[in-house]
Amino acid sequence: MSKVKRPLDGIRVVALEQYMSAPYCSMLLADAGAEVIKVERPGTGDPRRSIPPFVEKDGRKKAGGFMAYNRNKKSFALNIREEAGKKIYLDLVKKADVVVENLRPGSTDKMGIGYKDLKKINPRLVYAAISGFGRMEGYEGPLSNRPAFDIVAEAMSGIMHLVGFEDKPPSWTIYGMADVYTGLCTSFAIMQALFMRERTGEGQFVDSAMLDNMISLNERMVMLYSITGQEPHRGRLKHLYPRGAFQCKDGYLALNVPDDLIWARLCKVINREDLIKDEKSRSGTARASNAAFLRPIIEEWLKIRTREEAEETMNSSGIPVGSVYTAEDIFASPQVEARKMLLNIEDPDVGNNKFARGPVMLSSSPEPRQSPAPELGQHSREILTKILEKTDEEISQLEDAGITQLG
């Protein structure tokens, strides 16, 4: 019986990436077994190497965000703005299956290393381009050449309009959500393209726009406006209640009552069966209109109970609820531990740290590798020697010319 392999064993990914979206995408591919070669600028590398927070030990300091999104990768320091570096990059792409890239729109085309250029030398290549507003020919919009950070995509997708309180300005969700979600969507698209390649023998261009991804995530706003013409607003829903965080003795509990059946169960649990048929609360619309009346009643029952006590009582009565976790709660959760959602990554310089694993699990695939994020240029010599077949003398010349950096 052959040894069980990971889904992407044998797939080589060249990651011309920086910051978060593309690094998260290629990290998921690396977790799935792909050989991910992260191409970085000599001297500085990915800008995220210098962005806090930092972890420090014995005088060594490393950026937590870089460590979190770059595990299981190889770092190749290469100056692709020089002709010698560009030639090496092209030679590497010839032997690759996938390119993941999130540079500013148009920059790779100007350097002669965009998809049209690479397709000529490797027709089987899957080229995934992440941008703010999309880059595929025939689908360009007036904003296609704009740069974008995650908060821009959150804002323009309508998500920020829905986050926060009714009487306060729009708010962002969590730091980097559009980047991380885009990375996830892009990895999914790459898998589709690789599957198609098995059938056709040809690669293709994968166009992943942060704005598109966030609009797809915000599908309820699109559906509601299309069907009813209504504009959803942050802080309240017109057709259902209760929904939100309600205070317990030791924190908050997330509660959602989507229909009258769950409402009846809740009323019985809190010993207020009179509210089942009350005009103020007999329907979702009525409950939404009378939230100020109902919230104190629910919290009166919750405030004398811990989150765990309320969870046990409500869940056993068919009311799905969950505690609003802090980071400390996540690290202490038996459920999180049982699911092995926190990977222990041992870095040779700064020790052991925990990072979140990817969101999917396969029954016939081993656990993700747990190799730490690489030092800048750590694998340059290995790649130049084993993949590109350069001699020691050639490598020394490239290093002296500033084309590469050896870790």
Side-chain angles (χ1 to χ4, degrees):
M1 185 176 179
S2 61
K3 184 179 178 182
V4 175
K5 294 184 177 180
R6 294 179 174 85
L8 294 183
D9 277 352
I11 296 295
R12 178 173 291 149
V13 178
V14 175
L16 193 59
E17 59 183 22
Q18 57 186 355
Y19 294 109
M20 292 176 67
S21 57
Y24 187 78
C25 169
S26 65
M27 182 196 74
L28 294 177
L29 302 178
D31 283 356
E35 178 191 26
V36 175
I37 297 173
K38 183 180 180 74
V39 177
E40 301 186 75
R41 182 179 299 179
T44 56
D46 186 332
R48 200 156 176 79
R49 286 183 180 273
S50 60
I51 296 177
F54 296 103
V55 56
E56 298 186 49
K57 184 179 180 181
D58 300 330
R60 297 299 301 269
K61 182 171 76 170
K62 292 188 176 180
F66 183 85
M67 294 170 67
Y69 295 151
N70 290 283
R71 61 174 179 259
N72 296 326
K73 301 181 186 180
K74 296 178 179 179
S75 173
F76 183 21
L78 183 66
N79 185 355
I80 59 174
R81 296 189 180 279
E82 296 290 337
E83 280 300 314
K86 186 172 79 171
K87 183 180 184 304
I88 290 173
Y89 180 78
L90 293 173
D91 288 341
L92 180 61
V93 169
K94 289 178 184 177
K95 300 183 178 183
D97 298 282
V98 178
V99 166
V100 178
E101 174 254 297
N102 70 328
L103 303 187
R104 183 165 180 155
S107 59
T108 55
D109 295 324
K110 290 178 182 177
M111 288 188 283
I113 56 173
Y115 175 62
K116 290 182 179 180
D117 304 292
L118 302 186
K119 182 181 180 181
K120 296 174 184 177
I121 62 173
N122 186 353
R124 288 175 55 82
L125 184 71
V126 172
Y127 187 105
I130 295 175
S131 62
F133 303 99
R135 292 158 53 178
M136 190 159 70
E137 190 173 324
Y139 290 84
E140 301 99 330
L143 308 181
S144 289
N145 291 323
R146 273 196 194 178
F149 280 122
D150 67 299
I151 197 170
V152 175
E154 279 199 21
M156 298 181 70
S157 66
I159 286 179
M160 278 186 69
H161 179 69
L162 301 178
V163 178
F165 296 97
E166 189 175 0
D167 59 342
K168 297 291 193 304
S171 178
W172 46 278
T173 57
I174 60 173
Y175 182 83
M177 186 178 79
D179 285 314
V180 170
Y181 186 66
T182 291
L184 177 62
C185 291
T186 309
S187 68
F188 170 60
I190 289 170
M191 295 289 197
Q192 292 184 68
L194 287 172
F195 186 73
M196 284 185 68
R197 192 181 72 172
E198 291 298 306
R199 296 176 167 183
T200 66
E202 296 182 354
Q204 62 181 293
F205 184 75
V206 173
D207 184 23
S208 184
M210 286 200 293
L211 177 60
D212 300 353
N213 294 325
M214 296 306 284
I215 288 177
S216 73
L217 185 62
N218 195 19
E219 52 79 28
R220 188 180 183 278
M221 173 188 266
V222 174
M223 176 275 295
L224 188 65
Y225 189 79
S226 175
I227 291 176
T228 68
Q230 294 180 0
E231 181 75 70
H233 295 278
R234 60 187 167 275
R236 63 185 172 93
L237 293 170
K238 294 182 178 180
H239 303 299
L240 67 87
Y241 189 83
R243 177 181 170 85
F246 294 79
Q247 191 166 9
C248 295
K249 184 193 295 187
D250 61 345
Y252 288 87
L253 189 77
L255 173 64
N256 178 46
V257 176
D259 55 38
D260 296 337
L261 176 63
I262 303 296
W263 174 246
R265 292 174 185 171
L266 176 62
C267 291
K268 291 175 183 177
V269 164
I270 66 175
N271 300 314
R272 289 298 305 267
E273 293 187 49
D274 58 298
L275 296 175
I276 296 174
K277 298 297 183 181
D278 192 300
E279 290 295 327
K280 292 182 179 180
S281 54
R282 63 187 304 171
S283 69
T285 303
R287 292 190 291 274
S289 298
N290 292 285
F293 164 69
L294 294 172
R295 187 180 188 93
I297 295 174
I298 296 168
E299 289 193 333
E300 182 182 4
W301 185 87
L302 288 171
K303 283 182 179 179
I304 61 172
R305 292 168 173 82
T306 65
R307 294 177 299 171
E308 184 177 355
E309 290 169 344
E311 272 193 53
E312 177 61 31
T313 301
M314 290 188 173
N315 281 313
S316 63
S317 299
I319 308 166
V321 297
S323 297
V324 177
Y325 275 4
T326 63
E328 183 178 359
D329 291 328
I330 291 172
F331 274 68
S333 168
Q335 176 67 24
V336 174
E337 182 179 6
R339 295 291 292 173
K340 300 181 181 179
M341 278 303 299
L342 300 181
L343 293 178
N344 287 304
I345 305 294
E346 182 71 31
D347 186 280
D349 296 317
V350 295
N352 183 71
N353 291 277
K354 291 185 177 182
F355 300 103
R357 68 174 288 163
V360 296
M361 299 182 186
L362 301 177
S363 64
S364 295
S365 179
E367 287 291 301
R369 296 190 303 269
Q370 299 183 32
S371 302
E375 297 291 335
L376 177 59
Q378 180 179 336
H379 302 91
S380 296
R381 183 179 294 278
E382 173 191 331
I383 294 163
L384 288 166
T385 302
K386 294 183 178 180
I387 300 177
L388 299 173
E389 300 178 344
K390 300 293 183 183
T391 65
D392 288 342
E393 182 179 354
E394 289 174 319
I395 293 173
S396 294
Q397 292 173 351
L398 291 168
E399 184 181 23
D400 291 343
I403 301 302
T404 190
Q405 176 180 334
L406 307 180

